[in-house]
Amino acid sequence: MIDIAIIVLAAAAAVFVLAPLRHPVAASPGGEDRDQIRRQEDAVSQALRDIELDYATGKLSREDYREFRARVESGTETPMRGGGSA
Amino acid sequence: MTMADLGRFALMAALILALYALVAAILGGRARRPEVVVSAVRALEATALLEVLAAALLWLALGTRNYAFQYVISHVSNAQPLLYDLTSFWGGMEGSLLLWALVLSGYTLLAVWSISREHPRLVPGVAAACAAVSGFFLFMLTAVASPFVTTPFPPADGRGMNPLLLNPWMAIHPPTLYLGYVGLTVPFAIVVSSLATGRLEDGGILLARRWMLWAWYCLSMGLMFGAKWSYVVLGWGGYWAWDPVENAALMPWLVSTAFLHSVMIQERRAMLKKWNAVLVILAFGLSIFGTFLTRSGVLSSIHSFTQSPLGAFFLAFLAFLLLAAFSLVAWRWESLRGENELDAALSRESAFLVNNVLFLSVAFSVFLGTVFPIVSEVLTGRAVNVGPPFFDHVVGPLALGILVLMGVGPLIAWRRASALNLRRNFQAPGAAGVLVGAGLLALGVRPPGAVLAFALCGFVAGTIALEFARGVRVRRAHGSEGVGRALVSLVLRNRGRYGGYVVHLGILLLFAGITGSSVFATQRLVTVQPGETTAIGEYRVRFDSLSQSTRGGALVITAHLRGTAGGRDLGPLEARRSLFLTSQESTTDVALRSTPRDDLYITLTGWTQDGRATLRLLVNPLVMWMWVGGLVLSLGAIITLLPERRPAPLPVPDLSGAWSPGGP
């Protein structure tokens, strides 16, 4: 009984694992780059929220607030800049 | 063919599939052949299923007390409750290695499935790294420490687990800790994959952070459960003894805590990329090192370590992993250069950097103290133990430094803080700290370390309260929300920040509990006759009688007591000692009365034929706050772990300063 179970398990595992090799799939570029752009937008938005919150909670002077906000908005300072492929 | 053969087959097949997954993931990733990568992922899925089968077979053997298995003989006995028969799965080396492999497979599949949606190019590397670690543990399970070794002449009864492990806290402590240990594999795999493939954008490290946060939370809970077990079961009155096994779990916790802070700098400023990669690798390396420490026998003696091949395999694997990972860091060194620079020495970034230095210093001190007996035995032939005083003296001041930073960090702005704003922000929390310190001095509390620690706790609590109050005020200034609703909205919309503050609050309570119980604990050792009353602090304890019974193969001696606190009756108390006749072990049941102020903790240490009892009485102040701190930490971690919604920018404030506390 256990002999049969082992044979069935081995065969099932081999079929399950090797089956994808019979059907080559083309790589689908593009989606990840879109996600990367979305993540960068999120990061910029998050950075601006941090600056707003730091200012609103009294941790930043008005001058620093203006400077940091301008830096992030102009792209001079980009949080989470994608390093891209090395 | 037997059930054991099926188990051995499952593990061997799982090993072959893990190795196939490793090779297929690397080749498929390099050749950009998705079908090969899919095949590798399927191999990992099949590996997981086979490990589930192996685990089910082992559990079946344990649950049915099948003494044909050596593992069952060593960890199960007829007198042992079924629950502990089942939890003995992770009570021994072979079972715990299987648990490692099983948990890793679960994490691997979760990681691959979730990463494939947002970072498909990282999948081959993550699959390969996880398959490599999985392959190592499966190799150990098949070649070195198989749980499916059988005996031709099964005995009628087994030896059972060490009675000290027969406790609900010990039933959940190891799996929770393993969830943390093993969870560190995924951030490691993500970082390795990012480095290997050159996909070095920060999204990868943030993904690693999510997994690291989960692993950190599990490690935190594992440490708390272990401390609770030590407190209620070992009967020595404490919860942390700087035991190497405890230290093994503390080290990766410290390094992952450092990472969770420094990764925020990368998230906001695209800096510290190299440092964060190194921390992730170190945290994972320490998790393997911890498993090596606890499983190789090296702690009892270097000789027992050399007698088993297990330790050598672990060390070789650890060396290979660290060498490979740090080589990748060196290879990508230039690409990991930060994209911004520190604006000012007085900034939150700087506070986080000092925080990292302190956490790493504590981790290094703990590492040094833990391996010192091993190193000294190798060099001199004699193991020299540094003991708790070393750890207390080195870690204590560093921990106070971390506490200072917990209060300072949130008050400082990112990028640059002005002296004026800093002064204004420090006023209220600073006053809270001074008030607490002065209040304690006025009450007659004299130990300077304790006064300083509690004053700092007051300062940090003031910081947290101020942060919440200001956040709520800002929200209310922009809408018609009530205080409660504004607080909930504030936390839910800034889960990372405010969840982190809740975690800080939990750590603060933990810190207060540790300080109170370690500095102000009092104890007495007394031998009393029936009817005699003894006093400790404001407690009076009357010893009524001794009784004797048998339970689960143990002779149980019970001291029946009655306590009062300031004249208030605490009801009956029982302190027990159980003597296990077969294993020659003994366990302690503590008589414990816990209040927010202190714990009355009584153990029975001896007795005489004429009915006298020797009792150890302790009053441990503030211990309950440690466990409350653990719950608060859990709440904070859960808030932080909840996925964030895409952030909507706050309304741009009116720079006239009419409403802003930041004003000119």
Side-chain angles (χ1 to χ4, degrees), chain A residues 3 49-50 56 62 67 81, chain B residues 1 268 339 416 648 655 661:
Chain A
D3 293 359
R49 282 162 57 84
D50 278 338
R62 186 192 297 185
E67 180 196 332
R81 185 190 291 276
Chain B
M1 286 280 186
R268 281 154 175 91
E339 291 164 35
R416 183 165 60 225
L655 290 186

Side-chain angles (χ1 to χ4, degrees), chain B residues 186-203:
Chain B
V186 179
F188 170 79
I190 292 169
V191 164
V192 163
S193 179
S194 301
L195 292 168
T197 58
R199 302 294 301 179
L200 300 170
E201 63 273 353
D202 300 284

Side-chain angles (χ1 to χ4, degrees), chain B residues 17-367:
Chain B
L17 285 165
L19 295 177
Y20 169 81
L22 170 65
V23 175
I26 292 172
L27 294 180
R30 280 180 68 87
R32 292 178 186 262
R33 296 266 306 273
E35 74 276 11
V36 181
V37 177
V38 170
S39 175
V41 172
R42 283 197 173 196
L44 289 171
E45 290 167 354
T47 301
L49 283 175
L50 287 163
E51 285 168 358
V52 168
L53 174 63
L57 290 170
L58 184 59
W59 254 313
L60 186 66
L62 292 166
T64 56
R65 294 181 180 149
N66 184 342
Y67 293 119
F69 290 77
Q70 289 284 6
Y71 192 80
V72 179
I73 297 170
S74 301
H75 299 94
V76 169
S77 72
N78 294 339
Q80 189 166 286
L82 179 64
L83 171 72
Y84 296 115
D85 288 349
L86 298 175
T87 62
S88 66
F89 186 96
W90 46 80
M93 181 173 65
E94 296 85 353
S96 60
L97 289 177
L98 180 53
L99 182 68
W100 229 104
L102 191 64
V103 173
L104 177 58
S105 281
Y107 278 147
T108 302
L109 296 185
L110 274 177
V112 166
W113 290 334
S114 64
I115 290 169
S116 61
R117 283 203 300 273
E118 289 194 18
H119 302 269
R121 289 176 200 171
L122 291 179
V123 168
V126 170
C130 289
V133 179
S134 199
F136 168 73
F137 279 91
L138 286 164
F139 167 74
M140 300 298 282
L141 283 163
T142 49
V144 184
S146 171
F148 295 109
V149 174
T150 50
T151 176
F153 305 107
D157 198 358
R159 291 193 287 276
M161 277 207 291
N162 183 328
L164 290 170
L165 304 180
L166 304 180
N167 179 273
W169 292 108
M170 195 34 89
I172 57 170
H173 162 64
T176 315
L177 209 53
Y178 269 50
L179 283 172
Y181 268 152
V182 186
L184 293 170
T185 311
V186 179
F188 170 79
I190 292 169
V191 164
V192 163
S193 179
S194 301
L195 292 168
T197 58
R199 302 294 301 179
L200 300 170
E201 63 273 353
D202 300 284
I205 203 77
L206 294 186
L207 192 65
R209 181 183 65 172
R210 240 183 287 162
W211 283 92
M212 184 69 97
L213 191 58
W214 168 252
W216 175 88
Y217 172 57
C218 294
L219 280 176
S220 306
M221 288 298 100
L223 285 165
M224 290 295 297
F225 295 152
K228 185 76 181 176
W229 169 78
S230 179
Y231 191 60
V232 299
V233 172
L234 296 186
W236 63 286
Y239 39 80
W240 188 267
W242 296 110
D243 181 86
V245 178
E246 295 168 336
N247 295 349
L250 182 63
M251 288 185 280
W253 184 87
L254 289 164
V255 175
S256 53
T257 308
F259 169 80
L260 290 172
H261 287 90
S262 64
V263 75
M264 282 189 264
I265 304 179
Q266 183 167 347
E267 182 184 14
R268 281 154 175 91
R269 307 297 314 280
M271 296 160 64
L272 295 188
K273 295 178 181 185
K274 295 167 195 160
W275 179 242
N276 285 326
V278 166
L279 287 181
V280 170
I281 294 166
L282 268 184
F284 174 67
L286 284 169
S287 81
I288 297 288
F289 180 72
T291 312
F292 156 74
L293 271 187
T294 51
R295 292 292 165 222
S296 65
V298 70
L299 291 171
S300 54
S301 161
I302 195 75
H303 304 298
S304 65
F305 162 67
T306 52
Q307 282 161 14
S308 158
L310 196 85
F313 280 121
F314 261 105
L315 267 193
F317 180 62
L318 180 62
F320 164 75
L321 281 178
L322 293 182
L323 189 68
F326 284 125
S327 299
L328 283 171
V329 174
W331 183 34
R332 300 293 189 191
W333 194 255
E334 281 306 309
S335 313
L336 290 169
R337 192 176 291 281
E339 291 164 35
N340 296 297
E341 290 183 354
L342 273 183
D343 282 286
L346 201 57
S347 61
R348 193 174 289 189
E349 292 90 316
S350 302
F352 279 169
L353 283 179
V354 180
N355 151 304
N356 265 232
V357 170
L358 290 177
F359 271 111
L360 270 277
S361 302
V362 177
F364 180 71
S365 308
V366 174
F367 177 81

